[in-house]
Amino acid sequence: MRGIQRQSLAAVLCLVLGCAAAAPAAPAAGSSATGQGMLGFTASGAARQRALEQRYDALLDASEMRAWLKRMSSEPNQVGSPHDKANAEFMLSLFRAWGWDAHIETFDVLYPTPTQELVEMVAPTTFKASLHEPPIKGDATSSLPGALPPYNVYGADGDVTAPLVYVNYGMPDDYKELARYGIDVKGKIVIVRYGGGWRGLKPELAYQHGAVGCLIYSDPRDDGYFQGDPYPEGGWRPPEGVQRGSVAKMQIYPGDPTTPGYGSVPGAKHIPIGDAKTVLKIPVLPISYADATPLLKAMGGPVAPESWRGALPFTYHLGAGPARVHMVVKSDWSLKPIYDVIATLEGSGDADQWVIRGNHHDGWVFGAFDPLAGMIAELGEAKALGTLYKQGWRPKRTIVYASWDGEEPGLLGSTEWAETHAKELQQKAVLYLNSDTNGRGFLFAGGSHSLQHLVNQVAAGVTDPETTVSVQQRQRAFLDVRAAGKDASPMIKEAAKLAGTNGDIPISPLGSGSDYSAFLEHLGIATLNLEFGGEDESNGGVYHSRYDSFDHFIRFGDPTFEYEVALAQVAGHTVMRTADAEVLPMRFGDFSATVDRYIEQLHKQVDDARKAAEQQHKLLDANAYKLAADPDHPVAPPERLPDVPGIDFAPLDAAAKRLKQSVQAYEKAYDARAAKGLAMPADQLRQVNALMGTLEQRLLDDAGLPGRPWYRNMIQAPGELTGYAPKTIPAVHEALDARDWTRADHYATVTARVLDNYRAQLDKLTALLK
């Protein structure tokens, strides 16, 4: 499962809302408040750290990573499979051999698996979908037994027969457009294509509109021959390829649906499945575009709008009918064990501060690209760190490496572990660094904006394998080229301007779809998500299918495994610097400046909504929609938008201004001490690090987001109607989306209070430095 990874490069950059303005460095001699020198280190400490990183880099071995990938992707690897457990035990043996204190932590989770699936057209003609991915010549594992059929986990069981309606991507605006054609989905089965939003929203929105079932297919326009040659000639999805995936309502909470908010340890109480808020109410199945073709061709009704038409060679119609479909889903709803591998290198000084690194090991079938391309990089890091440890290096802080199980169904392993150890994690964890997969191309980074400068410094010191310039320099070139394009969006242009010639490249906010959620959005731990990508054809073409295999990866992913080494360098250097720094390598001005931008976007959102409503009202009042419509193909006017009143953002604006002033005071206090050769007593230094390590927790609100209290981070979270994609200042943003002006006013005040809590702890840091 991935969040940022499943989007195009342009879409990712449109989410890059961070700021590169000068900001305070963590207090340590040799590094100034504006980021000169290695963040968090004295000049002599930085020299030692660079030497250590050179020794670390020399220990990374692409051939070992290749061998690990081949072994771990050699059999089906889904939750409950023998190979999933075998991989966990294999990694446990590796960690122990490398000198780590390692164990497996087991959880018993609800994980339904299909026992019967059927999709058949019963009118106007008959057709039975294969619901099967056949072997492909040249892909050695594609013929192996042991894989489950394509399915969407946490959809309901059901046996339904109904007319078919095509709803494009099945997102909220698609239902509004469908209504203009006089078509509803009540009592119908909807067929929607992947894309445009997270898959789990598609059946949920269908259910909310009255549908009794949902089929999701991969259209070749988005994921197939329109993008490039299908596998095996190219890397893109073949006609029979199917994208599996979870449809649990993770925008409410991730993890085991039957243990909300607490760990599903053996013997834990599980609520009844019918009471689980994240399990869907209608059956849903994923199908290939080969199976979708006869169904779509048999549909009648109005011709679909142009933007709804895919790349299949026929006219797309909306329905309803005359295609009528019979759909059956039956599942085994038993608990199944999952296996988290947890490994520790004890710190030598501040052992009670933890630096945590994680990637998951379960896949939908073989999982070479997702997740094992990320997992083998983490294993390479672990071996190198273990070797250094055996040679006498001792990190200042404790390093914890985790290989999560059950990520694909719903972030199960990481969420259950984080909920089980929540109190200890909030006391000790200072960083969670996640990856999910990896490929060729550009570094993508997202997470806590106070870590932006750390990521940029690390990226500036790692060489891009294809160009031999630094990873950061290649990122900057990519931004500059995109910004110079004639179709460049304002956001891409602004990101390039912020990065400039020597500035930091902004990092993106995070939504969901990977194992960082529990750490960042529930517990308030400073978090990063890292991966390379953008050039490899593994990036979409075989995502969550049987064909995500070793043979596919070595042809279309990262054939030389050089980017696996590059990820291990970026992630490993970030872990080591955070573990070894005299003070934690954070810059709070990056966060403050980014919040300013997020608030500016809220103001713009209100202004744009007001202008859109006023323009639409003029058109409706002038009867323009009716006059412009084709009488032979009538389309009703859109529903009238409500008026947009003034929104009181004054508390939020004032809180951001106060935060900026506190950041400036922090910088001044730090620089004054640094000018005299900064030194602090050990107790004072521990207090500084303790305050810095828990500062991200001040961004939590105990009541959480409206309607989904598990998500408590008031600055970044997955959108309720976006799924993977993030919403910034989410409680306010989503109130505006819903045109709930009273709620927007209320949560502007709540978010302002959260920012004041953050500022108050920053002021304590400043006082320690004076």
Side-chain angles (χ1 to χ4, degrees), residues 734-749:
E734 294 194 319
L736 297 178
D737 290 343
R739 297 179 179 270
D740 188 337
W741 317 123
T742 301
R743 176 154 57 104
D745 280 340
H746 172 71
Y747 279 99
T749 301

Side-chain angles (χ1 to χ4, degrees), residues 193-214:
R193 52 177 170 157
Y194 272 112
W198 180 55
R199 81 180 71 80
L201 294 171
K202 299 171 188 287
E204 173 62 14
L205 289 168
Y207 167 73
Q208 291 176 11
H209 286 84
V212 296
C214 179

Side-chain angles (χ1 to χ4, degrees), residues 316-555:
Y316 286 64
H317 291 265
L318 300 178
R324 190 172 176 85
V325 169
H326 177 214
M327 177 181 181
V328 179
V329 179
K330 294 183 180 179
S331 307
D332 168 13
W333 289 84
S334 63
L335 300 182
K336 297 175 180 66
I338 58 172
Y339 308 97
D340 288 347
V341 185
I342 308 297
T344 303
L345 291 179
E346 189 75 15
S348 60
D350 293 334
D352 282 342
Q353 287 197 315
W354 294 357
V355 179
I356 307 173
R357 166 80 168 99
N359 198 103
H360 71 101
H361 64 81
D362 65 300
W364 281 109
V365 189
F366 304 106
F369 174 65
D370 180 13
L372 296 176
M375 191 66 247
I376 60 172
E378 183 180 329
L379 290 176
E381 299 160 32
K383 182 178 182 182
L385 293 174
T387 300
L388 293 175
Y389 199 83
K390 288 180 178 180
Q391 293 173 351
W393 166 69
R394 293 293 181 270
K396 181 177 181 179
R397 298 175 179 85
T398 295
I399 298 175
V400 179
Y401 266 46
S403 178
W404 310 118
D405 199 359
E407 189 268 3
E408 295 294 3
L411 320 184
L412 302 180
S414 59
T415 300
E416 301 312 316
W417 189 80
E419 290 176 343
T420 299
H421 302 283
K423 183 177 179 180
E424 187 174 24
L425 287 169
Q426 287 191 305
Q427 291 171 344
K428 297 179 178 180
V430 298
L431 172 69
Y432 175 68
L433 193 156
N434 189 70
S435 61
D436 196 317
T437 182
N438 199 51
R440 292 185 296 110
F442 308 94
L443 176 67
F444 294 112
S448 302
H449 298 295
S450 59
L451 300 172
Q452 178 174 292
H453 192 59
L454 169 63
V455 174
N456 273 267
Q457 284 198 329
V458 168
V462 174
T463 300
D464 175 75
E466 291 179 324
T467 63
T468 69
V469 302
S470 76
V471 166
Q472 187 198 45
Q473 186 176 345
R474 193 172 189 214
Q475 286 178 291
R476 182 174 286 111
F478 173 76
L479 266 178
D480 289 343
V481 170
R482 284 299 179 103
K486 63 178 181 179
D487 297 325
S489 71
M491 285 187 179
I492 290 179
K493 290 180 179 179
E494 185 170 10
K497 181 179 178 181
L498 287 168
T501 303
N502 297 307
D504 280 353
I505 294 169
I507 66 174
S508 70
L510 293 176
S512 189
S514 196
D515 287 307
Y516 51 75
S517 281
F519 299 95
L520 176 66
E521 294 151 352
H522 186 62
L523 298 180
I525 294 165
T527 294
L528 285 172
N529 188 69
L530 302 175
E531 74 168 67
F532 286 87
E535 293 180 336
D536 55 290
E537 292 184 50
S538 293
N539 194 19
V542 295
Y543 176 65
H544 285 191
S545 80
R546 173 183 284 270
Y547 310 123
D548 179 4
S549 63
F550 178 78
D551 286 326
H552 187 284
F553 188 82
I554 61 174
R555 288 184 61 196

Side-chain angles (χ1 to χ4, degrees), residues 135-143 231-232 549-552 554-555:
I136 283 182
K137 185 178 181 180
D139 190 311
T141 56
S142 64
S143 61
Y231 192 51
S549 63
F550 178 78
D551 286 326
H552 187 284
I554 61 174
R555 288 184 61 196

Side-chain angles (χ1 to χ4, degrees), residues 114-119 151-152 155-160 214 282-285 327-331 333:
T115 59
Q116 182 183 357
E117 296 180 344
L118 173 68
V119 174
Y151 64 108
N152 287 129
D157 284 358
D159 185 334
V160 296
C214 179
I282 62 173
V284 53
L285 281 174
M327 177 181 181
V328 179
V329 179
K330 294 183 180 179
S331 307
W333 289 84

Side-chain angles (χ1 to χ4, degrees), residues 248-272:
K249 291 186 277 187
M250 285 188 287
Q251 68 272 27
I252 298 178
Y253 60 84
D256 186 335
T258 59
T259 58
Y262 58 94
S264 55
V265 297
K269 179 182 178 181
H270 290 255
I271 65 174

